[in-house]
Amino acid sequence: MEKRDYAGETMKHLLLLLLALIVISCDDSGNLLKKGSVHLALGDYIRARECFASEVDRHPSSAAARIGLGKALLQEYASGSRDSTLLVRSITQLEAARTLRPDTVVEKLLSLVWLKRAEGLLAAADTVTALQALSRSTSLDHASAPPVNLAGILYFHRGERDKALNLFRKVITLDTASVSGRFNAGLVLWTDRNFTVAYDYFFAAAKRSPDNPEILLWAARAKKEAAGGTP
């Protein structure tokens, strides 16, 4: 009589059951999004990417999955990675999510990522593409001062001082407490030898950052030049 291997069959049935549960779990969109969000909150961007990427594969029109994947890629980049393609891939996902479901929160996040992209391009000395990235950043968040300030710095170094000054004044309008906007505007006016107005900007910056020795030094220089070079 043939002896049945009940233990082996039980194990086989258990493995089949576990496999079925895994398949069901993977097909559960809500579960994937939930797990991905937990991993993201814990800083486990690797597993977060896996969950959100799986959901994007299953449901390409899921804005939530694409936002999650974009955030996971951004989190990986922020961990110290030198791989700039992570930013590009994050932008791809977030732009797709915005197309699927326009949202102010997504636009603000996209604006920040485009700003980071511009900073990376500047590090590679690609100022033209950096300005394009900054333009995209400001178009997504009209109230954000940092990309406007950085664009002003780039135009200043390109010798386009009028454009730079207008951008720095816009920074001050967007962020009334901005120190850098005032200081940078002062530098433009100093370069144009408009020492009196330069001093006004330097002094305004110094009032908002009284412990910054560089700002205090430039304010003193501008005050001296405005007085005709006398101490």
Side-chain angles (χ1 to χ4, degrees), residues 16-32 35 55 58-59:
L16 289 172
L17 178 60
L18 288 173
L19 180 60
L21 289 173
I22 290 171
V23 171
I24 292 172
S25 176
C26 288
D27 286 338
D28 186 349
S29 297
N31 190 42
L32 275 176
K35 288 197 297 184
E55 179 61 11
R58 289 170 173 76
H59 302 287

Side-chain angles (χ1 to χ4, degrees), residues 103-175:
D103 182 88
T104 303
V105 175
V106 175
E107 289 178 348
K108 288 182 178 296
L109 179 57
L110 258 173
S111 177
L112 288 172
V113 181
W114 274 111
L115 175 58
K116 285 293 181 185
R117 174 66 176 151
E119 292 171 349
L121 290 165
L122 280 179
D126 188 351
T127 56
V128 174
T129 311
L131 281 170
Q132 293 172 355
L134 289 172
S135 177
R136 181 59 178 156
S137 177
T138 55
S139 71
L140 288 161
D141 186 357
H142 299 291
S144 180
V148 179
N149 189 60
L150 184 54
I153 293 172
L154 290 181
Y155 281 116
F156 175 68
H157 286 293
R158 283 163 57 120
E160 300 181 53
R161 294 198 293 273
D162 288 342
K163 184 174 287 187
L165 183 58
N166 287 334
L167 288 172
F168 293 138
R169 285 172 173 162
K170 183 177 180 181
V171 170
I172 297 169
T173 301
L174 293 171
D175 179 6

Side-chain angles (χ1 to χ4, degrees), residues 4-22:
R4 297 181 63 182
D5 183 6
Y6 290 103
E9 290 185 8
T10 301
M11 181 59 69
K12 187 182 298 183
H13 290 154
L14 179 59
L15 290 173
L16 289 172
L17 178 60
L18 288 173
L19 180 60
L21 289 173
I22 290 171

Side-chain angles (χ1 to χ4, degrees), residues 167-201:
L167 288 172
F168 293 138
R169 285 172 173 162
K170 183 177 180 181
V171 170
I172 297 169
T173 301
L174 293 171
D175 179 6
T176 56
S178 175
V179 174
S180 60
R182 289 174 170 82
F183 178 71
N184 291 334
L187 287 177
V188 176
L189 291 160
W190 170 278
T191 304
D192 288 338
R193 303 188 64 80
N194 190 343
F195 301 119
T196 300
V197 183
Y199 169 72
D200 291 340
Y201 277 105

